[in-house]
Amino acid sequence: MPTLLLVRHGRSTANTAGILAGWTPGVDLDDTGRAQAAALAERLAGVPLVKAVSSPLERCRQTLDPLVAARPELGRPAADERLGECHYGEWTGRPLAELAKEPLWRTVQDHAAAAVFPGGESLRELSHRTVNAVREWNAEVAAEHGEDAVWIACSHGDVIKAVVADALGLHLDHFQRISVEPCSVTAIRYTPQRPFVLRMGDTGDLSSLAPRPHAAPATPAGDAVVGGTA
C-alpha cells in the first residue's frame, strides 16, 4: 500500500503574470517559487522517499531540484509526459482574465467532463492519462520497494485535481471543488480496496506522513477505521 506524495510545482512566472502556461517552454519558478521548493525539501526531511517522478516541464523539475540535491540516493527524477500539464491548445499562453470571458470557461468550471480545449485535449483525456500514470507507478513502487514505500511526483494543478477526484470517487464535473496551491502536497495511499486521501493541498509540516512502526492491525488491510484512526 504505497503512499504517493503529489506536489504541485512552486509559483511560476506565468502564475504571477496571470497567464495560462500549459506546455509553453521556458516557464520557470519565480523567487517565491524557488523559496517554496527549498522549503519543500525541509518539510519532507523526516519522510523516507524511494522514488521521484516529475512532469517534464521546467517548473516541476526546478521544484524537485532542492529535494534531490539533499537526497542524492533518489537520483534524477523520472520524467513522465503523462504527468505533464493539460494540453490547452489555443488557450495556451493567453491571460486568464481574457479566457474567463470565453463561453468554454463556464463549461470548464461547471461541466468539466464535457470540456475540450480547442486544438488541445479534453479534461476527460487528461484524467485518463494521469490516473493511469499514477496507478502504474504505484504498482511499480510496490513491487520494487514494498507496500510501506513513499514516493513523490511533481505535477500541475489540473493534473493533481483530476487524480484526487479519482481517489475520492468524485465525478470529474466536481474536480474544480479541489484546491491545490503552489508547492502544496497531496498524499494518497493506495490499497487493493480503495485509495485513502491522507492530505490534500497541504502547505505545512509533513513529518506525520513517515511510515509508522508495524503493529497488529485493528481492522483488515484496506478497510477504513470506523470512528476514525487514533
Side-chain angles (χ1 to χ4, degrees):
M1 298 182 286
T3 298
L4 163 63
L5 306 185
L6 268 173
V7 180
R8 185 186 172 197
H9 61 78
R11 197 176 76 176
S12 72
T13 53
N15 293 147
T16 51
I19 300 295
L20 186 64
W23 282 75
T24 304
V27 176
D28 299 318
L29 298 183
D30 66 8
D31 289 342
T32 295
R34 286 190 287 273
Q36 290 170 335
L40 175 67
E42 298 174 3
R43 291 163 60 205
L44 289 169
V47 182
L49 300 170
V50 300
K51 183 178 286 291
V53 183
S54 178
S55 157
L57 293 170
E58 292 95 332
R59 53 196 183 272
C60 289
R61 291 189 287 104
Q62 291 168 359
T63 298
L64 290 182
D65 279 347
L67 176 66
V68 298
R71 304 193 191 194
E73 70 277 7
L74 281 175
R76 184 179 179 85
D80 190 338
E81 290 202 358
R82 295 174 299 173
L83 294 178
E85 180 63 284
C86 183
H87 292 279
Y88 293 113
E90 296 171 15
W91 278 32
T92 302
R94 293 176 61 187
L96 292 169
E98 178 183 296
L99 293 172
K101 301 174 184 177
E102 295 277 355
L104 179 60
W105 182 270
R106 286 263 50 90
T107 304
V108 172
Q109 296 299 313
D110 303 329
H111 191 13
V116 182
F117 295 100
E121 68 181 333
S122 69
L123 287 174
R124 292 193 315 277
E125 291 169 326
L126 169 75
S127 176
H128 181 73
R129 66 171 165 89
T130 57
V131 169
N132 279 350
V134 161
R135 290 182 178 272
E136 286 179 19
W137 280 111
N138 205 65
E140 180 177 314
V141 167
E144 291 183 5
H145 302 282
E147 61 183 24
D148 291 327
V150 183
W151 62 288
I152 192 168
C154 189
S155 191
H156 308 266
D158 282 347
V159 170
I160 295 171
K161 291 193 292 184
V163 173
V164 172
D166 171 75
L168 292 173
L170 286 178
H171 194 284
L172 188 61
D173 283 350
H174 301 315
F175 97 136
Q176 298 291 17
R177 302 181 183 193
I178 299 165
S179 177
V180 183
E181 297 298 316
C183 227
S184 64
V185 174
T186 293
I188 305 172
R189 180 165 60 90
Y190 286 89
T191 79
Q193 288 76 30
R194 63 184 61 82
F196 291 90
V197 178
L198 308 177
R199 300 284 184 90
M200 189 160 62
D202 196 316
T203 57
D205 178 69
L206 300 167
S207 59
S208 66
L209 292 174
R212 299 176 182 179
H214 284 289
T219 60
D223 283 0
V225 178
V226 177
T229 63

